Amino acid sequence: MKKVVIDAAACDGQGYCKRFAPEVFDLDEWGYGKVIREEIPDELVPGAEAAMEACPMQAIKLL
Ligand code: SF4
């Protein structure tokens, strides 16, 4: 189990997070990433890590 957060100030709305882990991320009405599941079970961690690595703004943190 890990916790995932998006730094809203860093996010510039490119949408990679949702593409890599739609169970964890969605986009808001302006296209910025939002976390829909803060506590993620182990089976969703690889997708969340892929999203973190893909995020061009390094806005995603896994804790
Ligand atoms: S991939 Fe990063 S910059 Fe793009 S919407 Fe998601 S958090 Fe924001």
Side-chain angles (χ1 to χ4, degrees):
M1 177 91 70
K2 289 206 173 195
K3 191 173 170 181
V4 61
V5 293
I6 289 178
D7 177 354
C11 172
D12 76 347
Q14 301 194 34
Y16 291 100
C17 47
K18 183 179 181 183
R19 223 176 296 161
F20 279 87
E23 307 89 345
V24 179
F25 303 99
D26 200 356
L27 303 180
D28 68 14
E29 60 200 285
W30 299 283
Y32 291 95
K34 66 176 180 182
V35 175
I36 55 174
R37 201 170 171 162
E38 279 184 19
E39 307 256 326
I40 53 172
D42 293 345
E43 63 267 26
L44 296 182
V45 169
E49 285 176 343
M52 181 178 71
E53 283 163 22
C55 175
M57 305 310 291
Q58 295 166 349
I60 299 169
K61 302 273 180 272
L62 278 178
L63 310 170

